[in-house]
Structures are given as C-alpha cells and as structure tokens.
Amino acid sequence: MELLESRIPPKESALLGVESSDSTKAEAFTKAFLKNSLSQMKDATIEEMMLYKAVVLEYKRPKKKGKKRKAKGLNAKERRRLKLFQLKPEHQKYELFLPLHELWKQYIEDLCNGLKPGSNPQMIQQKLLKADFHGAILTVVRSKCPSYVGLTGILVQEMKHIFKIITKEDKLKGKTSL
C-alpha cells in the first residue's frame, strides 16, 4: 500500500490532468477518508489500520424494517407533464419507422401462420381483431375530422380513440380521433 502515498510519475500526471501531492497530504486524506467512512470505529483502530496500510472497505446495506411498499406508477397528470407520449420533432421522420413496419409485417405473417391457402378465415379474422397495429401502414377511410380522410402513414401511437400516424412527408397526424 506504499503506492497510495507515492507520487504519480510526471508522464501519467500530465496524461490524467492531475497533480500529485506529497505523502503527508496523501496520508492526511486517507485518515480523513477512513474516519468519515468508518465513523463507528475509534481513532486508535483507524491509526492501527494505517500502520498496516491495508484497509478492506465493505458496504453493508442498512436493513429495512416494516413492509416493503410497491413503487407507484405515474398518474395521467404526471405523464402529461413529463410529455412521455409526445414524439420529439427530430424523431418525427418516416424513415425512422420503416424498420418498425418491417417488424410488424413479420409479426402479422407469424400471427396468421403465413396465410396458407387452407387457413380458416374466421380464425384469421379473430387474430387480426386482437393484433397490435403499431408499425402498420394505414389509410384513414372515416374520421370526425374530414381532413384526415385519405391520409396514409405508419401507425406510431395508439391510444383510446386516437391513432397517431406518420406520413411520408414526415408529418405526425392524429391529435384528435381519426
């Protein structure tokens, strides 16, 4: 442990951008650190540890008493404040969602067992009704907002009564019900 109190060679000192201090400063720092870290020990015990120049530092977690509480999730107001569901403008690019679309195509193919000619149409219909459409290319055919009708893009976000899609023109649409 002598190395703790020796000077850093000039080459390493310049490389690290630090300045080496003399052994008395290093010893004073080590004593202060041990006294602070091991506050339950007496000064005589710390002095004895310094004589042997070997210290094993352990971290013992304090034991908690009582019931463990389950971490609460965020409520709707906190989620809105943190803007968790808002895409940043720099992320609103059609090309960024093309890999998601490729994943979605593979997902649907796997879900429908490759759409073999002998597949049961009712079973496929049931699977499609329950499928996840994030990444699907959708076209709006009916909407409360007439300007959305005919709009085509990749489904980015789905919430209650709202589909947000990204168009080829890198526009995020769907702030109201589609």
Side-chain angles (χ1 to χ4, degrees), residues 114-129:
L115 292 173
K116 295 175 183 148
S119 300
N120 182 358
Q122 285 80 19
M123 190 173 75
I124 291 173
Q125 185 179 19
Q126 288 301 315
K127 286 182 179 182
L128 286 176
L129 284 172

Side-chain angles (χ1 to χ4, degrees), residues 5 37 60 63 74:
E5 297 178 7
S37 299
K60 291 182 181 177
K63 296 195 177 192
L74 300 173

Side-chain angles (χ1 to χ4, degrees), residues 77-90:
K77 188 176 183 180
E78 291 168 333
R79 286 194 299 264
R80 277 192 302 274
R81 184 177 49 83
L82 294 171
K83 299 178 181 178
L84 290 181
F85 296 112
Q86 290 183 5
L87 278 174
K88 295 178 182 173
E90 61 268 18

Side-chain angles (χ1 to χ4, degrees), residues 12-33:
E12 282 79 10
S13 181
L15 180 69
L16 296 171
V18 294
E19 208 174 292
S20 184
S21 58
D22 60 6
S23 62
T24 55
K25 284 184 179 177
E27 190 173 331
F29 170 78
T30 307
K31 281 182 183 177
F33 176 76

Side-chain angles (χ1 to χ4, degrees), residues 3 14 25 54 65 78 81 94 126 133 143:
L3 293 176
K25 284 184 179 177
K65 295 177 184 176
E78 291 168 333
R81 184 177 49 83
Y94 187 80
Q126 288 301 315
F133 286 94
S143 171

Side-chain angles (χ1 to χ4, degrees), residues 52-69:
Y52 294 110
K53 302 204 185 289
V55 179
V56 178
L57 296 176
E58 294 179 11
Y59 175 73
K60 291 182 181 177
R61 289 184 177 205
K63 296 195 177 192
K64 294 181 180 178
K65 295 177 184 176
K67 290 183 179 180
K68 289 184 180 179
R69 286 193 211 172

